Amino acid sequence: MAEKKRIDFKQIESKWQQRWAEDELYRTADLPDKDNKFYMLVMFAYPSGDIHMGHFRNYIIGDAVARQQMMMGKNVLHPFGWDAFGLPAERAAIQRGIHPEEWTLSNIEVSKRTLQKVGISFDWSREIASCLPDYYKWTQWMFIQMFKRGLAVRKKSWVNWDPVDKTVLANEQVKDGFAERSGAKVEKKELVGWYFKITDYADQLIDDLDKLPEWPDNVKAMQREWIGRSHGLEVDFVIEETGEKLPIFTTRPDTIYGVTYMAIAPESDLIDRLKLDGEHAKMVADYRQTALARSEIDRAAATGEKDGVFTGKYAINPFTNERVQLWVADYVLAGYGTGAVMAVPAHDTRDFAFARKYKLPIRVVIQSGGDSVTDGALLDEAFVEYGPMMNSDRFNGLSGAEAIAAVSDFAEKESIGRKVTNYKLKDWSISRQRYWGCPIPIVHCEKCGPVAVPDDQLPVTLPKVENYLPKGRSPLADVPEFMNVTCPECGGKAERDPDTMDTFVCSSWYQLRYVDPHNEKEPFSREKANAWMPIDLYVGGITHATGHLIYFRFFTKFLRDIGWIDFDEPARRLFNHGMVMDAHGEVMSKSKGNVVSPVAVMEERGIDVARLAMFFTAPSDKEVMWSEDGITGVEKFLINKLLPLLESYRSSMPDLKQYFNLNDLTGFDRNIYVKLNQTVKKCSESFERLQFNTAISAVMELIRDYDPDKISSDQLNDSVVLKAIQLIAPLAPHTAEELWSLSGMDGSVFRSGWPQFDPDAIVGDMIEIAVQVNGKLRDSINVPADSSQDAVEQVAFDSERVKGHTDGRQVIKKIYVPGRLLNIVVKG
RNA sequence: GCGAAAGUGGCGGAAUUGGUAGACGCGCUGGAUUUAGGAUCCAGUUCCGUGAGGAGUGGGGGUUCGAGUCCCCCCUUUCGCACCA
C-alpha cells in the first residue's frame, strides 16, 4: 500500500519555536547601528482573546519582512503589544461581573499564547499593554506635556454623543452618523471636555504628506480630504439693529455682490443675542428645538430638504451696504467657519434650493458664458463655476483667482474682512465618560482651575469601582476616595477629573515605547528613539487612515516640537494589507457564521502551509477570498517538492557567498545556475514589493527546473538546494529551518544571509527573440545570448514564417530591442 | 455630487521603466502507474477555426514601429468623504 507522506508538522514547529526562544533569535539590540536597522511594526491590537484571519495575515506579512531583513543582516526591531483599554472589557465586566482588568489580562494571555504558536518573530521581551500603570503613567505624562503648552484644553462644545455606550465620540469614531463601535445613532450634545488642539498642526499634517513617498496615495488623499484645508475670505457683515459684527467665511468672494440673504446655524449662540421679539422669537425658538433634535444623519442627508426660519432681522453687506434677511437654517454647520454663511443662490446649489423654497431673491453676479442667463428668476440651477463678475461694481469683468484676490485685497484694505484658512479637521475630543481607560491627570481646584498632577505623583491609577453601568458620567465620579484630593498648587480642596482618555491617545505614542519599554524614568530614551525611529515599515488595515494614522503623526510632530525626538514623521513606509473574506467574498463575521479560524487551519495542515496559502493566494495589498482550494497547491509544493529537497543533497558544504564562474559551467549546470540567479533576483524584488505570491512562484519554478541527476558539480547542486531554502525561509520558517538544520549547515537559516544574485549569470546562453512584422508576432527565434543585431536579423529573415510576411515588400525600418525582440516594419 | 483605486482565461492571479499577454497555482481534459484511489507522475488547457490563420487584457477613440501598460471619452465595481459655504 502506497503510503501518503506524513509529516509531523507539530513536532517540527514546536522544536524550532522552542529553539528560537532559547537562542533569543528575535531579541533586539538596545541601540542599533542607525544605518543598519529595520523597525518593523504591525498595528497595536485590541486583545479580544482570539486571532482571526485578518490578524493572521497582518502578522505573517510583518513576520516575513522581519525575517528577511534579519537575513539581510539588519538589526530588526519587531515588537508587539496590546491596545488594552476600551469598552469591550467594560461590557464583559457588566455582563459577567469580571473586573475589566482581569478580563483584559486573561485575554492577553490567550492571544499571546496563540500568537506564539503561530511562530511570529516578535521580540516578546518588549511586550507592552496600554492598560498597565507602567505604560499609562506615560500616556498621562503626554497629556500633561500637551496641557502645559496649551494644546490640551477644556471647553464646552457640541459633541457626538453615543446614547448606547453613553459616552462622547471623536469625529473619527462616527461613520455616516452612527457610532462605529456600538452602531447607535449619534446625538448632538453640548458638553464640557478635554480637547487636543490638533488643528494647530493641520498645515503640517497636510504639507508633510509630501514627505511620505512610500505611503499609499489613497491614504494620503483621505488624510488631505479629512483635514480639508480651504483658503478663503472672512467678511464682516453687520447686524442692522444691534450693530454687532456677523463674520462669515467664504471661498467665493467673487460672488459677494450676489448675496440675497444670510443664514446662521441653529446651534449658534449668536441667535440669543439678536433680541428677537414677538412672533419671530417664538418661531425661531421652536425651529431651533426641532432642528437640534434631529440627528446628524437626518440633517446631513444630501437629498434632504433644506429648511429654516426667518428671524425678522436684517444684516448689512459691507460691500453694498444692502440689507438682507437673516435666517436660521439647519444646512449651516455650527462647527465650520463661523457658523454663519452669506447666501448666494445664483451661484451655490444649497442656497439656490433654499431660496427657491422660501421665495428669496436670486441675483446673478457671475457670467456663465455665451448667452448666459442674467435674470436670477429664470435660472434652472445655480451656476457654481468661475466666470467674469457682473453686477459687481468696480470688480466687473474680473474672474476666477484674479477676482477672488481683488475682492479679498479690497476687503482687507477697507477693514471689512480678512483672508483666512479653514479646516474640516476639528480639535480632537479625548474625554470619555467611562471607566476602562487612562485617567486624565488633572485636578480641578476652585481657586486654581485645572491643575496638572505633578510628575512625581504619576500615574493616577484607576481605582476599583463597584458598578460600571454607563449613566452618562464617568463611574469614577462616584468614587469619593478617588475624586477628593487637595490641589497640588494651593493645597485647597479639589476634585480629580473623572473622565478617562480616548484609547487613540494610548496608541498615538506606543511605537516610541517599544524602543525602551521598561524605562521607569522617562517615556522612552531619546537616544534610542532617535536611533530606531522612524518605523521602516508599518503594516495594518486601511481602517485607520483618518484616525490613528493622523493622531500618531500629530504626536510625533508635537514630541519633536518639545525636543524629545528629531524626526517629524513616525513611519517611512505604510502598507495596508487587504481584507480576508470568505470563499464567497463575504466579510467573515460571527453573526454570519462563516469565520474560518487560522488556528484550525494550522492545526490541521501546519503553520507553514497556512502561511504559504495566505501569501500565495494574492499580493498582500489585495483582498483575499479564503478557501480550501487555495491551500491545495502550496501544500503539495511543500510536501512533495520542498521537503524532499534534501534527498538529493550532497553535503558538499558550499560557500554560499561565493559565486560560480559562469564560464566554468557547461550544459545543465550552466542553465540551472542561471535559473538560480534569476530566481534570487525575482524573489528579492518580490519581497521589496511585499508580493510574496510571486516570490513563491519563482521558487516553485526553480525547483521544477532543478534536476539533481543532471547536475555534475556537487557544490552547485547543494547551492541550489540551500539557496532555495533560504529564499523560502521568511515565508515558511519552520520548514526552512528544519531543512537547513538537516543539511548540516551551522546555526539558524535566519542568520545565514539573504542570497545575492550573480549579475553575470542572469542571462542564459541562448535567448529567445520575438520577431514581429509590423508589430505583430510572427516567430520566435533562439539565438546565442551575445548575438549582434545583424546576426539576429539574419536568423529572423531566414524564418519561413517571417518570410511569408516580408517577401516582396519593402523593409522600411528595423527596431531591435536587445535580448527581447526584433520588429521589422514593411510597406507594400 | 466630490475624491481615490481597480476592471486580464472557468477561478486566484503573473507581466519594474511601453517590447513574445496569461508566469505560478487551482480546476478541467487525456494518458501512465495502481486492486482501487480524493495519491503520484507525464501531456494539454485564452477564445474562434479541422487547418493555415484570426481575435483577444470592461467599451470606444488616439499617440507609437509596437499599448494590459501612456492620453481622451464612456461603462462597471470597490473604497473614502459626503450640505465644509
Side-chain angles (χ1 to χ4, degrees):
Chain A
M1 177 161 154
E3 202 168 322
K4 183 183 169 175
K5 273 186 196 142
R6 289 213 168 272
I7 283 83
D8 191 348
F9 287 110
K10 289 195 181 148
Q11 188 260 328
I12 294 176
E13 287 163 3
S14 63
K15 173 170 80 185
W16 289 112
Q17 287 176 9
Q18 216 176 322
R19 190 76 62 83
W20 291 331
E22 282 164 15
D23 296 350
E24 300 193 317
L25 184 65
Y26 314 135
R27 185 75 178 249
T28 312
D30 261 5
L31 257 184
D33 170 0
K34 205 170 171 8
D35 301 319
N36 194 41
K37 65 93 183 176
F38 196 94
Y39 187 173
M40 169 66 236
L41 187 62
V42 293
M43 286 181 190
F44 221 18
Y46 186 79
S48 56
D50 62 345
I51 300 297
H52 60 66
M53 278 291 180
H55 295 129
F56 176 68
R57 190 176 194 198
N58 191 164
Y59 303 153
I60 63 174
I61 291 168
D63 188 56
V65 172
R67 287 179 188 273
Q68 193 223 5
Q69 292 292 332
M70 199 186 293
M71 291 177 77
M72 293 202 291
K74 295 277 176 63
N75 288 308
V76 172
L77 174 57
H78 186 206
F80 195 74
W82 311 97
D83 191 10
F85 275 132
L87 284 180
E90 231 171 298
R91 282 206 202 97
I94 293 161
Q95 283 160 13
R96 285 178 266 165
I98 315 168
H99 191 275
E101 180 175 55
E102 198 183 315
W103 187 85
T104 305
L105 294 180
S106 85
N107 271 354
I108 288 177
E109 263 320 292
V110 174
S111 295
K112 182 178 174 180
R113 262 203 312 268
T114 311
L115 279 179
Q116 285 176 328
K117 271 211 293 202
V118 180
I120 307 291
S121 59
F122 294 129
D123 178 357
W124 286 103
S125 72
R126 291 171 183 267
E127 179 185 9
I128 58 180
S130 63
C131 67
L132 298 177
D134 65 348
Y135 183 89
Y136 72 67
K137 171 179 179 177
W138 300 111
T139 305
Q140 292 173 343
W141 182 90
M142 296 282 163
F143 179 98
I144 290 169
Q145 303 312 306
M146 293 262 185
F147 176 70
K148 282 180 178 163
R149 287 160 185 85
L151 285 165
V153 295
R154 199 167 135 87
K155 59 185 179 186
K156 188 177 188 184
S157 182
W158 291 90
V159 297
N160 304 303
W161 182 257
D162 180 333
V164 171
D165 282 337
K166 295 201 167 56
T167 184
V168 168
L169 300 175
N171 288 337
E172 289 75 7
Q173 293 161 332
V174 179
K175 288 268 163 334
D176 296 328
F178 290 87
E180 202 167 35
R181 203 167 259 283
S182 73
K185 213 176 206 187
V186 171
E187 294 167 3
K188 282 276 151 193
K189 203 166 165 177
E190 212 173 12
L191 218 68
V192 176
W194 287 97
Y195 290 81
F196 284 162
K197 291 179 74 181
I198 190 171
T199 48
D200 282 11
Y201 283 80
D203 280 323
Q204 281 186 55
L205 288 169
I206 283 195
D207 294 338
D208 288 356
L209 289 172
D210 295 334
K211 295 184 188 168
L212 299 171
E214 294 186 85
W215 276 43
D217 288 336
N218 61 335
V219 171
K220 288 190 279 190
M222 281 162 75
Q223 294 206 352
R224 270 192 204 98
E225 172 70 18
W226 188 261
I227 297 166
R229 176 165 62 191
S230 57
H231 302 288
L233 182 68
E234 204 169 272
V235 182
D236 293 325
F237 281 64
V238 178
I239 294 169
E240 184 185 44
E241 211 162 306
T242 64
E244 187 180 354
K245 280 186 181 166
L246 172 55
I248 56 86
F249 174 75
T250 178
T251 54
R252 293 296 303 272
D254 56 328
T255 64
I256 191 128
Y257 286 83
V259 175
T260 56
Y261 69 97
M262 306 214 33
I264 316 175
E267 291 91 341
S268 177
D269 48 13
L270 190 97
I271 301 172
D272 304 324
R273 298 199 298 273
L274 283 175
K275 303 205 185 88
L276 299 182
D277 33 42
E279 198 188 339
H280 288 303
K282 191 184 176 314
M283 279 167 64
V284 169
D286 288 351
Y287 178 75
R288 286 180 89 180
Q289 209 172 5
T290 47
L292 293 182
R294 288 168 75 183
S295 70
E296 192 78 340
I297 184 83
D298 294 335
R299 279 180 63 179
T303 48
E305 278 270 295
K306 315 208 172 316
D307 60 25
V309 63
F310 179 42
T311 60
K313 304 291 178 188
Y314 292 83
I316 310 290
N317 181 340
F319 276 77
T320 60
N321 287 322
E322 191 177 10
R323 70 201 279 269
V324 292
Q325 292 189 353
L326 182 56
W327 286 63
V328 176
D330 74 350
Y331 76 92
V332 181
L333 302 175
Y336 184 78
T338 62
V341 299
M342 66 180 208
V344 186
H347 305 294
D348 180 284
T349 42
R350 296 152 300 182
D351 298 343
F352 184 82
F354 194 85
R356 271 288 154 85
K357 178 168 179 179
Y358 293 106
K359 310 264 185 309
L360 291 160
I362 298 172
R363 184 191 303 154
V364 176
V365 293
I366 301 287
Q367 283 171 252
S368 54
D371 45 338
S372 63
V373 179
T374 52
D375 182 354
L378 301 176
L379 277 182
D380 295 327
E381 56 178 3
F383 176 72
V384 298
E385 278 146 62
Y386 292 115
M389 292 172 72
M390 58 183 284
N391 296 328
S392 298
D393 196 11
R394 76 192 73 211
F395 301 105
N396 283 338
L398 296 175
S399 85
E402 197 192 0
I404 290 170
V407 174
S408 304
D409 289 344
F410 180 79
E412 289 196 328
K413 203 176 90 214
E414 299 292 315
S415 301
I416 51 173
R418 61 218 76 85
K419 293 173 197 163
V420 296
T421 302
N422 255 310
Y423 305 89
K424 290 191 209 173
L425 182 73
K426 308 247 186 351
D427 281 335
W428 174 12
S429 155
I430 60 137
S431 294
R432 296 292 178 271
Q433 293 69 35
R434 297 298 300 244
Y435 172 74
W436 191 233
C438 175
I440 292 176
I442 288 288
V443 166
H444 298 283
C445 169
E446 278 173 32
K447 269 190 236 148
C448 313
V451 177
V453 173
D455 284 0
D456 61 9
Q457 289 173 34
L458 295 179
V460 175
T461 49
L462 271 176
K464 302 264 174 195
V465 300
E466 296 303 319
N467 191 350
Y468 309 102
L469 272 178
K471 325 169 224 213
R473 61 172 178 167
S474 168
L476 298 182
D478 299 324
V479 184
E481 312 86 89
F482 174 78
M483 290 298 290
N484 299 326
V485 286
T486 53
C487 171
E489 238 151 63
C490 70
K493 263 179 82 175
E495 275 198 335
R496 287 196 190 280
D497 196 292
D499 290 346
T500 52
M501 289 185 226
D502 180 5
T503 56
F504 278 115
V505 179
C506 310
S507 56
S508 288
W509 72 280
Y510 77 113
Q511 72 280 2
L512 290 159
R513 185 66 180 173
Y514 282 134
V515 308
D516 196 11
H518 309 297
N519 195 329
E520 289 174 7
K521 300 199 171 65
E522 302 170 305
F524 53 86
S525 128
R526 298 168 203 218
E527 192 189 10
K528 289 177 186 174
N530 287 327
W532 277 115
M533 291 287 288
I535 299 160
D536 291 278
L537 176 64
Y538 196 28
V539 178
I542 184 76
T543 45
H544 294 108
T546 54
H548 164 66
L549 290 173
I550 291 184
Y551 297 144
F552 97 135
R553 292 183 59 224
F554 161 55
F555 259 66
T556 303
K557 291 174 190 305
F558 168 69
L559 289 168
R560 174 208 57 197
D561 285 350
I562 66 171
W564 271 81
I565 49 181
D566 328 320
F567 46 92
D568 48 25
E569 284 292 339
R572 186 169 291 147
R573 181 178 180 190
L574 173 71
F575 187 86
N576 300 119
H577 66 261
M579 296 222 292
V580 184
M581 320 293 263
D582 75 0
H584 310 288
E586 300 254 20
V587 179
M588 289 188 186
S589 72
K590 279 180 193 157
S591 56
K592 286 194 185 119
N594 61 349
V595 176
V596 181
S597 161
V599 177
V601 179
M602 291 182 309
E603 290 282 326
E604 202 182 320
R605 318 268 199 138
I607 294 168
D608 288 351
V609 167
R611 289 171 61 119
L612 287 177
M614 183 61 89
F615 285 133
F616 191 64
T617 304
S620 306
D621 56 345
K622 279 196 88 161
E623 182 177 281
V624 149
M625 288 187 248
W626 182 263
S627 80
E628 291 286 306
D629 298 346
I631 303 176
T632 316
V634 291
E635 188 174 41
K636 283 203 281 193
F637 167 70
L638 190 142
I639 295 175
N640 299 331
K641 308 287 182 190
L642 207 54
L643 282 171
L645 266 187
L646 285 180
E647 289 167 13
S648 58
Y649 184 68
R650 304 180 195 168
S651 302
S652 67
M653 295 295 164
D655 177 358
L656 295 175
K657 304 242 174 359
Q658 198 71 44
Y659 295 143
F660 287 78
N661 188 340
L662 188 65
N663 295 325
D664 295 345
L665 300 173
T666 55
F668 187 80
D669 282 16
R670 202 175 159 102
N671 293 342
I672 198 70
Y673 184 62
V674 169
K675 182 71 182 178
L676 172 63
N677 283 290
Q678 288 171 339
T679 306
V680 169
K681 183 166 188 277
K682 195 168 172 195
C683 279
S684 298
E685 288 164 357
S686 296
F687 267 84
E688 176 55 34
R689 289 186 290 162
L690 278 68
Q691 281 197 10
F692 304 114
N693 54 337
T694 51
I696 294 169
S697 85
V699 177
M700 284 173 163
E701 279 187 61
L702 174 66
I703 295 179
R704 177 196 64 192
D705 290 357
Y706 167 67
D707 184 346
D709 296 342
K710 294 188 191 160
I711 298 183
S712 57
S713 160
D714 290 352
Q715 300 247 325
L716 177 59
N717 178 76
D718 291 352
S719 288
V720 174
V721 170
L722 293 170
K723 289 195 178 185
I725 293 168
Q726 287 176 319
L727 293 174
I728 209 72
L731 306 175
H734 306 88
T735 309
E737 190 75 301
E738 175 75 2
L739 291 172
W740 188 259
S741 143
L742 291 175
S743 78
M745 295 300 276
D746 278 342
S748 167
V749 68
F750 299 105
R751 298 246 181 264
S752 71
W754 181 253
Q756 302 293 308
F757 65 86
D758 178 351
D760 297 330
I762 44 174
V763 180
D765 292 337
M766 295 295 284
I767 51 173
E768 217 174 87
I769 303 271
V771 183
Q772 300 181 331
V773 178
N774 287 348
K776 278 188 188 267
L777 181 70
R778 293 306 174 188
D779 204 357
S780 204
I781 57 174
N782 273 296
V783 296
D786 54 4
S787 299
S788 64
Q789 179 172 352
D790 286 346
V792 170
E793 282 179 20
Q794 240 171 31
V795 180
F797 280 104
D798 275 350
S799 154
E800 289 302 322
R801 305 180 57 195
V802 172
K803 275 184 192 163
H805 292 91
T806 55
D807 279 358
R809 306 167 93 185
Q810 188 195 348
V811 176
I812 310 172
K813 207 175 183 182
K814 285 170 289 195
I815 289 133
Y816 180 61
V817 182
R820 307 222 63 146
L821 67 66
L822 175 70
N823 187 10
I824 301 160
V825 185
V826 297
K827 193 173 79 174

